[in-house]
Every structure is written in structure tokens, then in C-alpha cells.
């Protein structure tokens, strides 16, 4: 993957989802050979199909491998979104928020997260469609960076968005997968400064 321009203070942030059908999270992520730290994880029904956000300080190289490891057996696939950030005060998130759109037999096709973002900071958000079909995805409260990256031919998609904060703000972010038979949305948002 491209990491952009190398910088002594560069961090790489990875949002990901996996087709894990057991309650087994990703056990590690390395970014350009550097061990990453999980910032947030949000699960689908019965702790499957997670959405996760990871970060690592990766000052060198303009590209590199992103390796995702899980202890789950059998075949599985992942989809990722990659961000580069510089001048962070800390790789520890200021705030995190997760949401799952399932409640018994009710499916609204919307996930909502809300995080505090300090002045000069930013937030990264990821949302996954658990299963079903869809025609588009819409974000409110953040700018969509990538959309509808298919996890597998029969299962879900990942979309990502971000926002920059000029002044202290509370970012209220909604993600809607439109039309079709989309069910089981999962979302996670993390803010940094």
C-alpha cells in the first residue's frame, strides 16, 4: 500500500473489516513491518464481522505491506482503508465511539457514532454492511473517503470517512447504506490530536 511521503512524525491509520464468522478478533496488524495498536473494534451480531481501526508510527518508506493476522481457522478475507497523519500529539485516541445497527428483527440500515474532536484534530470513521445488497452509501457529519469496497462476493462492504476540526467540536457521524436488502451495519469512529 502507498504510505505517502515519509516523515519522522508520520503515523499510518488502518480501518479494516474481516469476514470472520467466529468471535475471534484480528490478533495483530503490522504496517510496513511496524506493530500497530488497535484503537477501536465494533462487532456484528454474535461477535462476528468486526470493523476495526488501528494505528502505528511508521516514519520511513513511501509504501509497504499491511499484514493482518487472526487466530481464526479457515479462509477469511479483509478490506482496508489507509490514512497517513503527521504532527499527532499522541497515537492514543482522544475519543472512540462504536455502534451496531441491529435490535432483534429491526434493521434501520444506519449507524451513528459521536466523538469529541479537539481543535486541530481529526476523526477517522469506518462502517461495514454485514450482508445483503445496496446501491450506495451516504455519510453525514464526515467526508467520505472510500465507499463500497466489497469484502466478499456475497458479504458486505466497507466504507470510510474523515473530518478535520478547526475548533473543538463534537462530531456526530451517521452512515446509511441505501436501498437493497442491506442488514447489519457496524461502525467505529476514532478522534486524534
Amino acid at each position: 500500500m502507498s504510505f505517502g511521503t515519509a516523515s519522522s512524525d508520520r503515523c499510518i491509520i488502518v480501518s479494516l473489516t474481516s469476514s470472520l464468522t467466529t468471535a475471534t478478533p484480528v490478533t495483530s496488524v503490522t504496517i510496513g513491518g511496524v506493530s500497530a495498536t488497535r484503537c477501536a473494534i465494533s462487532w456484528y451480531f454474535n461477535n462476528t464481522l468486526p470493523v476495526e481501526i488501528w494505528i502505528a508510527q511508521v516514519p520511513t518508506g513511501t509504501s509497504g505491506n499491511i499484514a493482518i493476522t487472526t487466530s481464526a481457522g479457515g479462509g477469511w478475507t479483509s478490506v482496508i482503508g489507509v490514512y497517513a497523519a503527521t504532527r499527532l500529539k499522541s497515537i492514543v485516541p482522544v475519543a472512540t465511539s462504536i455502534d451496531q445497527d441491529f435490535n432483534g428483527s429491526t434493521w434501520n440500515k444506519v449507524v451513528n457514532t459521536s466523538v469529541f474532536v479537539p481543535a486541530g484534530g481529526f476523526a477517522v470513521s469506518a462502517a461495514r454492511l454485514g450482508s445483503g445488497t445496496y446501491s450506495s452509501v451516504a455519510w453525514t457529519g464526515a467526508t467520505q473517503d472510500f465507499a463500497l469496497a466489497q469484502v466478499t462476493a456475497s458479504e458486505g462492504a466497507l466504507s470510510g470517512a474523515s473530518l478535520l476540526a478547526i475548533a473543538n467540536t463534537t462530531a456526530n457521524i451517521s452512515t446509511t447504506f441505501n436501498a437493497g436488502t442491506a442488514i447489519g451495519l457496524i461502525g467505529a469512529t476514532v478522534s486524534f490530536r
Side-chain angles (χ1 to χ4, degrees), residues 22-141:
T22 60
T24 307
V26 168
T27 53
S28 69
V29 172
T30 59
I31 304 171
V34 178
S35 294
T37 300
R38 181 187 286 118
C39 299
I41 184 169
S42 184
W43 293 99
Y44 181 55
F45 185 67
N46 287 336
N47 290 344
T48 61
L49 312 176
V51 166
E52 305 184 42
I53 298 174
W54 293 70
I55 189 171
Q57 293 176 313
V58 187
T60 60
T62 57
S63 64
N65 291 329
I66 296 175
I68 301 167
T69 304
T70 178
S71 61
W76 56 279
T77 56
S78 293
V79 173
I80 63 173
V82 181
Y83 298 85
T86 56
R87 295 184 282 169
L88 293 183
K89 290 186 175 180
S90 173
I91 66 168
V92 177
V94 172
T96 63
S97 178
I98 62 172
D99 189 29
Q100 303 86 18
D101 171 39
F102 57 87
N103 182 9
S105 60
T106 302
W107 305 87
N108 297 319
K109 303 180 185 178
V110 179
V111 286
N112 300 294
T113 55
S114 180
V115 293
F116 172 74
V117 187
F122 66 95
V124 171
S125 189
R128 182 221 163 94
L129 167 67
S131 62
T133 61
Y134 51 86
S135 60
S136 63
V137 62
W139 288 84
T140 302

